[in-house]
Amino acid sequence: MDSERKPVRVVIVDDDQLVRMALRLVIDGEPDLTVVAEAADGNAAVIVVDEQRPDVVLMDVRMPGLDGLGATREILARATREILARAAPPRVLMLTTFDSDDLVLGALRAGALGFVLKDTPPQGILDAVRAVADGSPVLSPAATARVIAAATGPLSSHARDSTRRAARERLSALTEREHETARAIADGLGNPEIAQRLNISVATVKAHTGSLFSKLAVQNRVQIALLVRDAEE
């Protein structure tokens, strides 16, 4: 463990000042985390993230003006365009309530690495921030079932066909091995498990995953999994 590791830099985005204050108190009380800025709406978030280059953005879903979904798309699109200027794109962790799960699936597709409910205990929020900072997806147990329902619920045949065609077109650029890696990621396997399933080295799995990020224009494994699911529905 590196005792000299710099604290994870966090930006808090929420239109409720009291929520921002509470989150700052919780996060700044940890030696390995620090809040570097706050924003009260999506437009301000895009500017602040551009200026601060944080490791994690704790993003409210529903805000006036540009909401959390739109802000996430813009932040990650900018990070992709400026990839040479950044060590890594920021990891976005969505803050949501039960009545906003209609936007959560869209946020995950846009590149957010996960979400937590606003009533999650402080330690749960801290654990989630640390997890996404390390690149691990976070899905709040209390709301996961609702997101699954949103992902698998009924769509019109036209909408489902359109989504399936778009996903399959994007996946058509992959090699057979990349397809197998994407399928394994969608099954929830980690790199060692994928290596075992495909009888390849972990280093090769990482290389295939890097190719998936590039060819599919995605930011994380959650997006890969959703794309595979879309193609198979």
Side-chain angles (χ1 to χ4, degrees):
M1 181 174 176
D2 185 0
S3 60
E4 299 300 318
R5 182 177 178 180
K6 294 181 180 179
V8 173
R9 304 173 74 253
V10 181
V11 164
I12 299 171
V13 184
D14 198 293
D15 62 332
D16 188 326
Q17 184 178 8
L18 291 178
V19 171
R20 296 198 308 272
M21 289 174 59
L23 288 171
R24 178 182 278 272
L25 285 173
V26 169
I27 293 171
D28 276 346
E30 300 296 303
D32 60 328
L33 306 174
T34 183
V35 176
V36 295
E38 299 176 16
D41 59 59
N43 288 310
V46 173
I47 295 171
V48 166
V49 169
D50 235 18
E51 293 174 346
Q52 296 293 331
R53 305 292 174 91
D55 303 303
V56 174
V57 181
L58 196 53
M59 178 80 75
D60 189 17
V61 173
R62 286 187 171 170
M63 297 177 289
L66 185 65
D67 64 17
L69 178 55
T72 296
R73 284 175 174 159
E74 180 61 23
I75 287 168
L76 295 179
R78 288 188 179 209
T80 299
R81 291 195 297 267
E82 302 171 13
I83 193 67
L84 295 179
R86 298 175 184 265
R91 273 67 184 260
V92 179
L93 178 64
M94 307 300 295
L95 281 169
T96 184
T97 57
F98 278 119
D99 65 355
S100 63
D101 57 284
D102 57 321
L103 294 179
V104 171
L105 187 62
L108 294 176
R109 295 188 192 283
L113 200 53
F115 65 95
V116 291
L117 300 179
K118 284 190 175 182
D119 61 0
T120 299
Q123 188 59 52
I125 291 178
L126 292 172
D127 291 344
V129 170
R130 292 186 177 105
V132 297
D134 287 335
S136 300
V138 173
L139 299 178
S140 176
T144 297
R146 295 176 67 88
V147 175
I148 292 172
T152 60
L155 291 174
S156 70
S157 59
H158 174 74
R160 190 173 297 281
D161 287 346
S162 177
T163 298
R164 185 187 301 114
R165 282 196 303 271
R168 288 179 177 178
E169 183 176 349
R170 291 175 68 184
L171 293 172
S172 67
L174 305 181
T175 66
E176 182 178 353
R177 264 304 195 218
E178 289 166 351
H179 267 291
E180 293 172 342
T181 303
R183 172 71 264 171
I185 289 173
D187 288 341
L189 301 186
N191 288 345
E193 292 79 16
I194 295 174
Q196 184 175 17
R197 175 188 283 190
L198 302 184
N199 196 27
I200 57 179
S201 69
V202 171
T204 302
V205 173
K206 291 179 178 179
H208 288 326
T209 303
S211 293
L212 292 175
F213 284 2
S214 177
K215 289 184 177 181
L216 300 177
V218 297
Q219 300 283 347
N220 56 59
R221 296 164 78 100
V222 174
Q223 288 178 291
I224 294 172
L226 289 172
L227 195 58
V228 171
R229 299 295 185 188
D230 285 345
E232 295 177 350
E233 286 185 357

PDB file of all heavy atoms in Angstrom, residues 164-182 207-218 227-228 231:
ATOM      1  N   ARG A 164     -31.543  -2.695 -30.699  1.00  0.00           N
ATOM      2  CA  ARG A 164     -30.794  -3.902 -31.013  1.00  0.00           C
ATOM      3  C   ARG A 164     -29.904  -3.691 -32.240  1.00  0.00           C
ATOM      4  O   ARG A 164     -28.734  -4.076 -32.246  1.00  0.00           O
ATOM      5  CB  ARG A 164     -31.752  -5.064 -31.255  1.00  0.00           C
ATOM      6  CG  ARG A 164     -31.038  -6.405 -31.479  1.00  0.00           C
ATOM      7  CD  ARG A 164     -32.011  -7.507 -31.884  1.00  0.00           C
ATOM      8  NE  ARG A 164     -33.042  -7.711 -30.886  1.00  0.00           N
ATOM      9  CZ  ARG A 164     -34.336  -7.454 -31.085  1.00  0.00           C
ATOM     10  NH1 ARG A 164     -34.764  -6.986 -32.257  1.00  0.00           N
ATOM     11  NH2 ARG A 164     -35.214  -7.680 -30.135  1.00  0.00           N
ATOM     12  N   ARG A 165     -30.472  -3.084 -33.280  1.00  0.00           N
ATOM     13  CA  ARG A 165     -29.692  -2.853 -34.507  1.00  0.00           C
ATOM     14  C   ARG A 165     -28.484  -1.957 -34.243  1.00  0.00           C
ATOM     15  O   ARG A 165     -27.376  -2.220 -34.727  1.00  0.00           O
ATOM     16  CB  ARG A 165     -30.581  -2.221 -35.584  1.00  0.00           C
ATOM     17  CG  ARG A 165     -31.504  -3.194 -36.300  1.00  0.00           C
ATOM     18  CD  ARG A 165     -32.035  -2.587 -37.585  1.00  0.00           C
ATOM     19  NE  ARG A 165     -32.726  -1.329 -37.341  1.00  0.00           N
ATOM     20  CZ  ARG A 165     -34.023  -1.237 -37.066  1.00  0.00           C
ATOM     21  NH1 ARG A 165     -34.764  -2.335 -36.981  1.00  0.00           N
ATOM     22  NH2 ARG A 165     -34.587  -0.053 -36.868  1.00  0.00           N
ATOM     23  N   ALA A 166     -28.700  -0.894 -33.480  1.00  0.00           N
ATOM     24  CA  ALA A 166     -27.609   0.036 -33.187  1.00  0.00           C
ATOM     25  C   ALA A 166     -26.501  -0.656 -32.395  1.00  0.00           C
ATOM     26  O   ALA A 166     -25.304  -0.463 -32.676  1.00  0.00           O
ATOM     27  CB  ALA A 166     -28.147   1.233 -32.416  1.00  0.00           C
ATOM     28  N   ALA A 167     -26.881  -1.469 -31.419  1.00  0.00           N
ATOM     29  CA  ALA A 167     -25.890  -2.178 -30.607  1.00  0.00           C
ATOM     30  C   ALA A 167     -25.119  -3.187 -31.450  1.00  0.00           C
ATOM     31  O   ALA A 167     -23.884  -3.293 -31.350  1.00  0.00           O
ATOM     32  CB  ALA A 167     -26.570  -2.872 -29.436  1.00  0.00           C
ATOM     33  N   ARG A 168     -25.835  -3.938 -32.284  1.00  0.00           N
ATOM     34  CA  ARG A 168     -25.163  -4.944 -33.105  1.00  0.00           C
ATOM     35  C   ARG A 168     -24.225  -4.301 -34.119  1.00  0.00           C
ATOM     36  O   ARG A 168     -23.160  -4.860 -34.438  1.00  0.00           O
ATOM     37  CB  ARG A 168     -26.211  -5.802 -33.809  1.00  0.00           C
ATOM     38  CG  ARG A 168     -26.926  -6.751 -32.853  1.00  0.00           C
ATOM     39  CD  ARG A 168     -27.981  -7.590 -33.549  1.00  0.00           C
ATOM     40  NE  ARG A 168     -28.594  -8.534 -32.614  1.00  0.00           N
ATOM     41  CZ  ARG A 168     -29.575  -9.364 -32.931  1.00  0.00           C
ATOM     42  NH1 ARG A 168     -30.075  -9.377 -34.166  1.00  0.00           N
ATOM     43  NH2 ARG A 168     -30.068 -10.191 -32.030  1.00  0.00           N
ATOM     44  N   GLU A 169     -24.603  -3.141 -34.622  1.00  0.00           N
ATOM     45  CA  GLU A 169     -23.722  -2.445 -35.575  1.00  0.00           C
ATOM     46  C   GLU A 169     -22.420  -2.041 -34.903  1.00  0.00           C
ATOM     47  O   GLU A 169     -21.341  -2.190 -35.476  1.00  0.00           O
ATOM     48  CB  GLU A 169     -24.437  -1.214 -36.129  1.00  0.00           C
ATOM     49  CG  GLU A 169     -23.617  -0.465 -37.177  1.00  0.00           C
ATOM     50  CD  GLU A 169     -24.372   0.696 -37.786  1.00  0.00           C
ATOM     51  OE1 GLU A 169     -25.600   0.801 -37.564  1.00  0.00           O
ATOM     52  OE2 GLU A 169     -23.746   1.510 -38.480  1.00  0.00           O
ATOM     53  N   ARG A 170     -22.513  -1.547 -33.664  1.00  0.00           N
ATOM     54  CA  ARG A 170     -21.295  -1.160 -32.942  1.00  0.00           C
ATOM     55  C   ARG A 170     -20.435  -2.382 -32.636  1.00  0.00           C
ATOM     56  O   ARG A 170     -19.206  -2.343 -32.759  1.00  0.00           O
ATOM     57  CB  ARG A 170     -21.668  -0.428 -31.659  1.00  0.00           C
ATOM     58  CG  ARG A 170     -22.276   0.934 -31.892  1.00  0.00           C
ATOM     59  CD  ARG A 170     -22.731   1.575 -30.604  1.00  0.00           C
ATOM     60  NE  ARG A 170     -21.608   1.921 -29.731  1.00  0.00           N
ATOM     61  CZ  ARG A 170     -21.759   2.424 -28.513  1.00  0.00           C
ATOM     62  NH1 ARG A 170     -22.980   2.611 -28.024  1.00  0.00           N
ATOM     63  NH2 ARG A 170     -20.694   2.728 -27.773  1.00  0.00           N
ATOM     64  N   LEU A 171     -21.067  -3.481 -32.259  1.00  0.00           N
ATOM     65  CA  LEU A 171     -20.312  -4.690 -31.915  1.00  0.00           C
ATOM     66  C   LEU A 171     -19.723  -5.383 -33.135  1.00  0.00           C
ATOM     67  O   LEU A 171     -18.789  -6.189 -33.010  1.00  0.00           O
ATOM     68  CB  LEU A 171     -21.213  -5.669 -31.160  1.00  0.00           C
ATOM     69  CG  LEU A 171     -21.668  -5.234 -29.761  1.00  0.00           C
ATOM     70  CD1 LEU A 171     -22.701  -6.204 -29.208  1.00  0.00           C
ATOM     71  CD2 LEU A 171     -20.485  -5.115 -28.807  1.00  0.00           C
ATOM     72  N   SER A 172     -20.227  -5.081 -34.318  1.00  0.00           N
ATOM     73  CA  SER A 172     -19.752  -5.743 -35.534  1.00  0.00           C
ATOM     74  C   SER A 172     -18.299  -5.409 -35.849  1.00  0.00           C
ATOM     75  O   SER A 172     -17.652  -6.112 -36.633  1.00  0.00           O
ATOM     76  CB  SER A 172     -20.633  -5.364 -36.730  1.00  0.00           C
ATOM     77  OG  SER A 172     -20.489  -3.990 -37.051  1.00  0.00           O
ATOM     78  N   ALA A 173     -17.778  -4.347 -35.243  1.00  0.00           N
ATOM     79  CA  ALA A 173     -16.379  -3.958 -35.492  1.00  0.00           C
ATOM     80  C   ALA A 173     -15.391  -4.805 -34.706  1.00  0.00           C
ATOM     81  O   ALA A 173     -14.176  -4.726 -34.929  1.00  0.00           O
ATOM     82  CB  ALA A 173     -16.187  -2.482 -35.138  1.00  0.00           C
ATOM     83  N   LEU A 174     -15.888  -5.660 -33.812  1.00  0.00           N
ATOM     84  CA  LEU A 174     -15.013  -6.420 -32.930  1.00  0.00           C
ATOM     85  C   LEU A 174     -14.528  -7.714 -33.583  1.00  0.00           C
ATOM     86  O   LEU A 174     -15.207  -8.297 -34.414  1.00  0.00           O
ATOM     87  CB  LEU A 174     -15.754  -6.774 -31.632  1.00  0.00           C
ATOM     88  CG  LEU A 174     -16.365  -5.614 -30.842  1.00  0.00           C
ATOM     89  CD1 LEU A 174     -17.022  -6.157 -29.574  1.00  0.00           C
ATOM     90  CD2 LEU A 174     -15.327  -4.557 -30.514  1.00  0.00           C
ATOM     91  N   THR A 175     -13.365  -8.160 -33.145  1.00  0.00           N
ATOM     92  CA  THR A 175     -12.876  -9.476 -33.535  1.00  0.00           C
ATOM     93  C   THR A 175     -13.621 -10.530 -32.716  1.00  0.00           C
ATOM     94  O   THR A 175     -14.328 -10.214 -31.752  1.00  0.00           O
ATOM     95  CB  THR A 175     -11.375  -9.615 -33.258  1.00  0.00           C
ATOM     96  OG1 THR A 175     -11.158  -9.563 -31.838  1.00  0.00           O
ATOM     97  CG2 THR A 175     -10.583  -8.494 -33.929  1.00  0.00           C
ATOM     98  N   GLU A 176     -13.449 -11.788 -33.084  1.00  0.00           N
ATOM     99  CA  GLU A 176     -14.120 -12.864 -32.356  1.00  0.00           C
ATOM    100  C   GLU A 176     -13.708 -12.879 -30.890  1.00  0.00           C
ATOM    101  O   GLU A 176     -14.539 -13.033 -29.996  1.00  0.00           O
ATOM    102  CB  GLU A 176     -13.805 -14.220 -33.005  1.00  0.00           C
ATOM    103  CG  GLU A 176     -14.510 -15.389 -32.327  1.00  0.00           C
ATOM    104  CD  GLU A 176     -14.231 -16.716 -33.009  1.00  0.00           C
ATOM    105  OE1 GLU A 176     -13.586 -16.707 -34.087  1.00  0.00           O
ATOM    106  OE2 GLU A 176     -14.641 -17.752 -32.467  1.00  0.00           O
ATOM    107  N   ARG A 177     -12.407 -12.715 -30.632  1.00  0.00           N
ATOM    108  CA  ARG A 177     -11.914 -12.714 -29.257  1.00  0.00           C
ATOM    109  C   ARG A 177     -12.463 -11.525 -28.470  1.00  0.00           C
ATOM    110  O   ARG A 177     -12.799 -11.637 -27.280  1.00  0.00           O
ATOM    111  CB  ARG A 177     -10.385 -12.670 -29.240  1.00  0.00           C
ATOM    112  CG  ARG A 177      -9.700 -14.010 -29.106  1.00  0.00           C
ATOM    113  CD  ARG A 177     -10.160 -14.763 -27.866  1.00  0.00           C
ATOM    114  NE  ARG A 177      -9.277 -15.868 -27.559  1.00  0.00           N
ATOM    115  CZ  ARG A 177      -9.662 -17.026 -27.117  1.00  0.00           C
ATOM    116  NH1 ARG A 177     -10.951 -17.264 -26.937  1.00  0.00           N
ATOM    117  NH2 ARG A 177      -8.806 -17.982 -26.838  1.00  0.00           N
ATOM    118  N   GLU A 178     -12.554 -10.373 -29.132  1.00  0.00           N
ATOM    119  CA  GLU A 178     -13.108  -9.195 -28.470  1.00  0.00           C
ATOM    120  C   GLU A 178     -14.586  -9.412 -28.150  1.00  0.00           C
ATOM    121  O   GLU A 178     -15.061  -8.992 -27.096  1.00  0.00           O
ATOM    122  CB  GLU A 178     -12.900  -7.958 -29.341  1.00  0.00           C
ATOM    123  CG  GLU A 178     -11.434  -7.511 -29.405  1.00  0.00           C
ATOM    124  CD  GLU A 178     -11.159  -6.521 -30.512  1.00  0.00           C
ATOM    125  OE1 GLU A 178     -12.061  -6.291 -31.365  1.00  0.00           O
ATOM    126  OE2 GLU A 178     -10.047  -5.986 -30.552  1.00  0.00           O
ATOM    127  N   HIS A 179     -15.309 -10.061 -29.065  1.00  0.00           N
ATOM    128  CA  HIS A 179     -16.698 -10.409 -28.798  1.00  0.00           C
ATOM    129  C   HIS A 179     -16.805 -11.288 -27.556  1.00  0.00           C
ATOM    130  O   HIS A 179     -17.669 -11.083 -26.691  1.00  0.00           O
ATOM    131  CB  HIS A 179     -17.302 -11.162 -29.989  1.00  0.00           C
ATOM    132  CG  HIS A 179     -18.012 -10.281 -30.972  1.00  0.00           C
ATOM    133  ND1 HIS A 179     -19.204  -9.642 -30.674  1.00  0.00           N
ATOM    134  CD2 HIS A 179     -17.703  -9.934 -32.242  1.00  0.00           C
ATOM    135  CE1 HIS A 179     -19.587  -8.942 -31.729  1.00  0.00           C
ATOM    136  NE2 HIS A 179     -18.699  -9.095 -32.688  1.00  0.00           N
ATOM    137  N   GLU A 180     -15.939 -12.301 -27.468  1.00  0.00           N
ATOM    138  CA  GLU A 180     -15.966 -13.213 -26.328  1.00  0.00           C
ATOM    139  C   GLU A 180     -15.646 -12.479 -25.031  1.00  0.00           C
ATOM    140  O   GLU A 180     -16.248 -12.750 -23.983  1.00  0.00           O
ATOM    141  CB  GLU A 180     -14.967 -14.345 -26.557  1.00  0.00           C
ATOM    142  CG  GLU A 180     -15.355 -15.272 -27.705  1.00  0.00           C
ATOM    143  CD  GLU A 180     -14.255 -16.259 -28.047  1.00  0.00           C
ATOM    144  OE1 GLU A 180     -13.089 -16.022 -27.660  1.00  0.00           O
ATOM    145  OE2 GLU A 180     -14.552 -17.275 -28.698  1.00  0.00           O
ATOM    146  N   THR A 181     -14.711 -11.537 -25.104  1.00  0.00           N
ATOM    147  CA  THR A 181     -14.362 -10.745 -23.920  1.00  0.00           C
ATOM    148  C   THR A 181     -15.524  -9.865 -23.502  1.00  0.00           C
ATOM    149  O   THR A 181     -15.854  -9.766 -22.309  1.00  0.00           O
ATOM    150  CB  THR A 181     -13.127  -9.871 -24.215  1.00  0.00           C
ATOM    151  OG1 THR A 181     -12.034 -10.700 -24.632  1.00  0.00           O
ATOM    152  CG2 THR A 181     -12.706  -9.095 -22.968  1.00  0.00           C
ATOM    153  N   ALA A 182     -16.181  -9.233 -24.479  1.00  0.00           N
ATOM    154  CA  ALA A 182     -17.339  -8.384 -24.176  1.00  0.00           C
ATOM    155  C   ALA A 182     -18.455  -9.210 -23.549  1.00  0.00           C
ATOM    156  O   ALA A 182     -19.111  -8.774 -22.589  1.00  0.00           O
ATOM    157  CB  ALA A 182     -17.830  -7.698 -25.444  1.00  0.00           C
ATOM    158  N   ALA A 207      -5.650  -6.290 -22.734  1.00  0.00           N
ATOM    159  CA  ALA A 207      -5.451  -5.744 -24.080  1.00  0.00           C
ATOM    160  C   ALA A 207      -6.760  -5.752 -24.866  1.00  0.00           C
ATOM    161  O   ALA A 207      -7.097  -4.767 -25.538  1.00  0.00           O
ATOM    162  CB  ALA A 207      -4.384  -6.545 -24.822  1.00  0.00           C
ATOM    163  N   HIS A 208      -7.507  -6.850 -24.776  1.00  0.00           N
ATOM    164  CA  HIS A 208      -8.803  -6.927 -25.456  1.00  0.00           C
ATOM    165  C   HIS A 208      -9.776  -5.885 -24.897  1.00  0.00           C
ATOM    166  O   HIS A 208     -10.519  -5.245 -25.657  1.00  0.00           O
ATOM    167  CB  HIS A 208      -9.421  -8.321 -25.287  1.00  0.00           C
ATOM    168  CG  HIS A 208      -8.736  -9.388 -26.089  1.00  0.00           C
ATOM    169  ND1 HIS A 208      -8.180  -9.149 -27.328  1.00  0.00           N
ATOM    170  CD2 HIS A 208      -8.541 -10.714 -25.838  1.00  0.00           C
ATOM    171  CE1 HIS A 208      -7.659 -10.270 -27.795  1.00  0.00           C
ATOM    172  NE2 HIS A 208      -7.859 -11.232 -26.913  1.00  0.00           N
ATOM    173  N   THR A 209      -9.748  -5.703 -23.585  1.00  0.00           N
ATOM    174  CA  THR A 209     -10.642  -4.726 -22.964  1.00  0.00           C
ATOM    175  C   THR A 209     -10.300  -3.315 -23.414  1.00  0.00           C
ATOM    176  O   THR A 209     -11.189  -2.499 -23.694  1.00  0.00           O
ATOM    177  CB  THR A 209     -10.564  -4.823 -21.428  1.00  0.00           C
ATOM    178  OG1 THR A 209     -10.886  -6.162 -21.019  1.00  0.00           O
ATOM    179  CG2 THR A 209     -11.543  -3.849 -20.771  1.00  0.00           C
ATOM    180  N   GLY A 210      -9.010  -3.026 -23.522  1.00  0.00           N
ATOM    181  CA  GLY A 210      -8.596  -1.729 -24.034  1.00  0.00           C
ATOM    182  C   GLY A 210      -9.090  -1.499 -25.450  1.00  0.00           C
ATOM    183  O   GLY A 210      -9.523  -0.394 -25.804  1.00  0.00           O
ATOM    184  N   SER A 211      -9.053  -2.548 -26.265  1.00  0.00           N
ATOM    185  CA  SER A 211      -9.565  -2.451 -27.639  1.00  0.00           C
ATOM    186  C   SER A 211     -11.071  -2.204 -27.640  1.00  0.00           C
ATOM    187  O   SER A 211     -11.586  -1.450 -28.465  1.00  0.00           O
ATOM    188  CB  SER A 211      -9.251  -3.732 -28.420  1.00  0.00           C
ATOM    189  OG  SER A 211      -7.865  -3.882 -28.616  1.00  0.00           O
ATOM    190  N   LEU A 212     -11.780  -2.847 -26.711  1.00  0.00           N
ATOM    191  CA  LEU A 212     -13.223  -2.636 -26.602  1.00  0.00           C
ATOM    192  C   LEU A 212     -13.531  -1.178 -26.274  1.00  0.00           C
ATOM    193  O   LEU A 212     -14.428  -0.574 -26.868  1.00  0.00           O
ATOM    194  CB  LEU A 212     -13.814  -3.546 -25.525  1.00  0.00           C
ATOM    195  CG  LEU A 212     -13.810  -5.047 -25.811  1.00  0.00           C
ATOM    196  CD1 LEU A 212     -14.319  -5.812 -24.591  1.00  0.00           C
ATOM    197  CD2 LEU A 212     -14.667  -5.372 -27.016  1.00  0.00           C
ATOM    198  N   PHE A 213     -12.790  -0.608 -25.330  1.00  0.00           N
ATOM    199  CA  PHE A 213     -13.001   0.793 -24.980  1.00  0.00           C
ATOM    200  C   PHE A 213     -12.835   1.680 -26.206  1.00  0.00           C
ATOM    201  O   PHE A 213     -13.627   2.597 -26.447  1.00  0.00           O
ATOM    202  CB  PHE A 213     -12.011   1.231 -23.902  1.00  0.00           C
ATOM    203  CG  PHE A 213     -12.333   0.737 -22.516  1.00  0.00           C
ATOM    204  CD1 PHE A 213     -13.426  -0.076 -22.267  1.00  0.00           C
ATOM    205  CD2 PHE A 213     -11.530   1.091 -21.451  1.00  0.00           C
ATOM    206  CE1 PHE A 213     -13.728  -0.524 -20.991  1.00  0.00           C
ATOM    207  CE2 PHE A 213     -11.815   0.656 -20.170  1.00  0.00           C
ATOM    208  CZ  PHE A 213     -12.911  -0.154 -19.943  1.00  0.00           C
ATOM    209  N   SER A 214     -11.787   1.403 -26.987  1.00  0.00           N
ATOM    210  CA  SER A 214     -11.497   2.235 -28.157  1.00  0.00           C
ATOM    211  C   SER A 214     -12.519   2.029 -29.273  1.00  0.00           C
ATOM    212  O   SER A 214     -13.080   2.995 -29.805  1.00  0.00           O
ATOM    213  CB  SER A 214     -10.087   1.916 -28.672  1.00  0.00           C
ATOM    214  OG  SER A 214      -9.797   2.642 -29.836  1.00  0.00           O
ATOM    215  N   LYS A 215     -12.775   0.779 -29.637  1.00  0.00           N
ATOM    216  CA  LYS A 215     -13.656   0.495 -30.771  1.00  0.00           C
ATOM    217  C   LYS A 215     -15.111   0.846 -30.491  1.00  0.00           C
ATOM    218  O   LYS A 215     -15.842   1.270 -31.397  1.00  0.00           O
ATOM    219  CB  LYS A 215     -13.551  -0.981 -31.162  1.00  0.00           C
ATOM    220  CG  LYS A 215     -12.234  -1.362 -31.815  1.00  0.00           C
ATOM    221  CD  LYS A 215     -12.252  -2.817 -32.263  1.00  0.00           C
ATOM    222  CE  LYS A 215     -10.961  -3.204 -32.979  1.00  0.00           C
ATOM    223  NZ  LYS A 215     -10.994  -4.612 -33.448  1.00  0.00           N
ATOM    224  N   LEU A 216     -15.536   0.677 -29.244  1.00  0.00           N
ATOM    225  CA  LEU A 216     -16.934   0.925 -28.902  1.00  0.00           C
ATOM    226  C   LEU A 216     -17.165   2.338 -28.384  1.00  0.00           C
ATOM    227  O   LEU A 216     -18.301   2.729 -28.134  1.00  0.00           O
ATOM    228  CB  LEU A 216     -17.409  -0.089 -27.855  1.00  0.00           C
ATOM    229  CG  LEU A 216     -17.347  -1.560 -28.269  1.00  0.00           C
ATOM    230  CD1 LEU A 216     -17.769  -2.455 -27.109  1.00  0.00           C
ATOM    231  CD2 LEU A 216     -18.220  -1.822 -29.487  1.00  0.00           C
ATOM    232  N   ALA A 217     -16.073   3.094 -28.208  1.00  0.00           N
ATOM    233  CA  ALA A 217     -16.160   4.472 -27.700  1.00  0.00           C
ATOM    234  C   ALA A 217     -16.887   4.518 -26.363  1.00  0.00           C
ATOM    235  O   ALA A 217     -17.837   5.278 -26.162  1.00  0.00           O
ATOM    236  CB  ALA A 217     -16.837   5.383 -28.722  1.00  0.00           C
ATOM    237  N   VAL A 218     -16.450   3.656 -25.434  1.00  0.00           N
ATOM    238  CA  VAL A 218     -17.051   3.610 -24.103  1.00  0.00           C
ATOM    239  C   VAL A 218     -16.001   3.988 -23.062  1.00  0.00           C
ATOM    240  O   VAL A 218     -14.796   3.980 -23.343  1.00  0.00           O
ATOM    241  CB  VAL A 218     -17.618   2.212 -23.786  1.00  0.00           C
ATOM    242  CG1 VAL A 218     -18.744   1.871 -24.740  1.00  0.00           C
ATOM    243  CG2 VAL A 218     -16.526   1.139 -23.850  1.00  0.00           C
ATOM    244  N   LEU A 227     -24.265  -2.627 -23.650  1.00  0.00           N
ATOM    245  CA  LEU A 227     -24.281  -2.732 -25.116  1.00  0.00           C
ATOM    246  C   LEU A 227     -24.507  -4.180 -25.541  1.00  0.00           C
ATOM    247  O   LEU A 227     -25.287  -4.460 -26.472  1.00  0.00           O
ATOM    248  CB  LEU A 227     -22.967  -2.203 -25.681  1.00  0.00           C
ATOM    249  CG  LEU A 227     -22.912  -1.906 -27.177  1.00  0.00           C
ATOM    250  CD1 LEU A 227     -23.967  -0.877 -27.575  1.00  0.00           C
ATOM    251  CD2 LEU A 227     -21.521  -1.388 -27.543  1.00  0.00           C
ATOM    252  N   VAL A 228     -23.840  -5.117 -24.875  1.00  0.00           N
ATOM    253  CA  VAL A 228     -24.029  -6.542 -25.178  1.00  0.00           C
ATOM    254  C   VAL A 228     -25.463  -6.945 -24.890  1.00  0.00           C
ATOM    255  O   VAL A 228     -26.091  -7.664 -25.708  1.00  0.00           O
ATOM    256  CB  VAL A 228     -23.047  -7.404 -24.356  1.00  0.00           C
ATOM    257  CG1 VAL A 228     -23.386  -8.883 -24.508  1.00  0.00           C
ATOM    258  CG2 VAL A 228     -21.615  -7.145 -24.803  1.00  0.00           C
ATOM    259  N   ALA A 231     -27.769  -5.749 -27.624  1.00  0.00           N
ATOM    260  CA  ALA A 231     -27.636  -6.488 -28.864  1.00  0.00           C
ATOM    261  C   ALA A 231     -28.368  -7.832 -28.800  1.00  0.00           C
ATOM    262  O   ALA A 231     -28.773  -8.380 -29.840  1.00  0.00           O
ATOM    263  CB  ALA A 231     -26.160  -6.728 -29.177  1.00  0.00           C
TER     264      ALA A 231
END
